[in-house]
């Protein structure tokens, strides 16, 4: 009665019954994964909304921020030293009188130093030589400007300085934050430089020949309007919106900022006080 009968077992559970079950699809066999690797497997990206950006992005942001701070700090030092020298010369030298020959010599030296900083890559790669030529450019520009001013007074210099600093700050702020589609590009910049070179050369020749103040007024108006897109474009470069520059290029960028400041100062000086001459 209680004995085991294999025939009875096969009668109650026939062998043919499990066979059709093999035709139903089953779950796919998962690859074997060690428990340690399963625990260390990272979560899905959308399950981590507060995760920090990748290290490469952090490095790029730090590089741009550090580069920008170096440029503005060094350009600010250049501007402060130049303003101090201009005010000291205004107090020590007589107010009226243009020193053409010394100013012209300083202007040629400044242009030479700028060309060396721009085109001599081996010279610019050496930090100390770059610093020497950058300071040479700053000092010669400061000397040439103050020697060529027709009237050296605190009032004339201060008003032109305030106007130049305001316009310089606004231009670099706009270049850093405004959308790219409303800012000048490379093609626009090249066209502006070509038109400026042609028009400025004609105005300068006419002023030398005729000695009419209207040509000098137009000449400095051209300098003012061409410096605006140049400063906007350079602000985009400094803030990393155009190109990614190496960290050693902050010296050249600071020199360009100082050059834009000097051009703004000269333009506003001659446009504001032109009625006195």
């Amino acid at each position: 009665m209680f004995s085991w009968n294999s025939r009875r077992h096969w009668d109650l559970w026939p062998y043919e019954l499990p066979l059709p079950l093999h035709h139903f699809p089953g779950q796919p066999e998962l690859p074997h994964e060690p428990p340690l690797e399963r625990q260390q497997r990272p979560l899905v990206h959308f399950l981590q909304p507060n995760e920090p950006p990748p290290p490469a992005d952090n490095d790029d942001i730090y590089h741009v921020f550090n580069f920008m701070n170096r440029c503005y700090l060094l350009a600010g030092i250049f501007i402060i030293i130049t303003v101090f020298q201009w005010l000291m010369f205004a107090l020590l030298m007589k107010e009226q009188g243009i020193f053409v020959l010394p100013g012209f010599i300083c202007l040629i030296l400044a242009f030479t130093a700028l060309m060396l900083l721009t085109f001599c890559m081996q010279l610019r790669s050496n930090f100390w030589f770059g610093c020497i030529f950058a300071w040479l450019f700053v000092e010669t520009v400061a000397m040439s400007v103050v020697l060529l001013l027709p009237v050296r007074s605190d009032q004339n210099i201060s008003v032109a300085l305030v106007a130049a600093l305001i316009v310089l700050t606004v231009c670099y702020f706009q270049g850093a934050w405004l959308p790219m589609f409303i800012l000048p590009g490379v093609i626009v910049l090249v066209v502006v430089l070509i038109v400026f070179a042609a028009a400025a050369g004609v105005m300068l020749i006419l002023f030398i020949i005729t000695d009419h103040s209207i040509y000098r007024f137009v000449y400095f108006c051209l300098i003012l309007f061409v410096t605006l897109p140049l400063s906007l474009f350079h602000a985009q470069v400094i803030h990393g919106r155009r190109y990614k520059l190496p960290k050693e290029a902050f010296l050249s960028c600071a020199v360009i900022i100082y050059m834009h400041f000097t051009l703004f100062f000269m333009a506003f000086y001659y446009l504001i006080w032109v009625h006195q001459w």
Side-chain angles (χ1 to χ4, degrees), residues 2 22 54 63 101 133 141 173 186 204 215 228:
F2 296 100
H22 290 283
H63 171 77
L101 184 59
F133 280 93
V141 166
F173 182 82
V186 178
L204 191 59
Y215 298 116
L228 292 174

Side-chain angles (χ1 to χ4, degrees), residues 11-275:
D11 291 337
L12 294 177
W13 304 97
Y15 180 75
E16 294 80 8
L17 182 61
L19 290 178
L21 297 179
H22 290 283
H23 297 283
F24 290 93
Q27 295 182 354
E29 185 177 359
L30 298 176
H32 178 70
E33 184 178 11
L36 183 60
E37 294 182 4
R38 189 182 304 113
Q39 295 177 2
Q40 296 179 355
R41 184 172 56 193
L43 298 176
V44 186
H45 181 71
F46 62 82
L47 295 178
Q48 302 175 3
N50 296 324
E51 68 175 349
D57 296 343
N58 288 333
D59 293 341
D60 292 340
I61 295 173
Y62 175 76
H63 171 77
V64 173
F65 188 74
N66 190 21
F67 183 84
M68 178 182 63
N69 288 338
R70 289 184 177 183
C71 290
Y72 287 129
L73 180 61
L74 188 58
I77 294 174
F78 290 160
I79 292 173
I80 291 174
I81 293 176
T82 300
V83 171
F84 177 76
Q85 292 179 356
W86 286 347
L87 295 177
M88 289 297 296
F89 269 91
L91 294 175
L92 297 177
M93 301 175 65
K94 61 180 182 179
E95 292 188 356
Q96 296 184 356
I98 301 177
F99 300 91
V100 178
L101 184 59
F104 185 72
I105 293 174
C106 292
L107 196 61
I108 292 177
L109 292 176
F111 183 77
T112 304
L114 182 62
M115 291 297 102
L116 291 175
L117 284 174
T118 304
F119 297 106
C120 295
M121 302 300 295
Q122 295 181 354
L123 178 64
R124 195 169 54 183
S125 61
N126 193 315
F127 177 74
W128 295 111
F129 280 103
C131 289
I132 292 173
F133 280 93
W135 280 109
L136 179 63
F137 173 78
V138 171
E139 290 296 327
T140 50
V141 166
M143 291 294 296
S144 63
V145 169
V146 76
L147 290 174
L148 295 175
L149 292 179
V151 177
R152 285 175 292 274
S153 65
D154 296 337
Q155 181 183 3
N156 295 33
I157 295 177
S158 300
V159 173
L161 281 174
V162 172
L165 289 175
I166 291 175
V167 175
L168 185 72
T169 304
V170 171
C171 288
Y172 276 85
F173 182 82
Q174 290 179 350
W177 296 105
L178 287 181
M180 293 291 292
F181 68 91
I182 63 175
L183 295 176
V186 178
I187 299 177
V188 177
L189 193 64
V190 171
V191 173
V192 168
L193 288 176
I194 293 174
V195 173
F196 165 75
V202 172
M203 291 297 107
L204 191 59
I205 293 173
L206 291 175
F207 173 71
I208 295 174
I209 294 175
T210 61
D211 199 18
H212 291 325
S213 60
I214 184 63
Y215 298 116
R216 181 175 58 186
F217 179 80
V218 175
Y219 175 76
F220 284 103
C221 285
L222 291 173
I223 289 180
L224 176 61
F225 287 116
V226 78
T227 312
L228 292 174
L230 286 174
S231 58
L232 289 173
F233 183 85
H234 191 245
Q236 299 168 29
V237 174
I238 290 178
H239 290 265
R241 306 182 68 184
R242 289 284 180 180
Y243 312 105
K244 184 178 179 182
L245 298 178
K247 62 180 181 179
E248 296 84 7
F250 76 94
L251 187 62
S252 301
C253 293
V255 170
I256 295 175
I257 296 175
Y258 173 77
M259 183 175 62
H260 292 163
F261 161 75
T262 307
L263 292 175
F264 279 132
F265 171 79
M266 293 294 294
F268 283 113
Y269 181 88
Y270 281 96
L271 293 178
I272 293 174
W273 306 107
V274 68
H275 62 277

Side-chain angles (χ1 to χ4, degrees), residues 1-10 12-13:
M1 177 177 179
F2 296 100
S3 61
W4 176 261
N5 190 349
S6 61
R7 183 176 181 83
R8 186 185 306 170
H9 172 75
W10 291 113
L12 294 177
W13 304 97

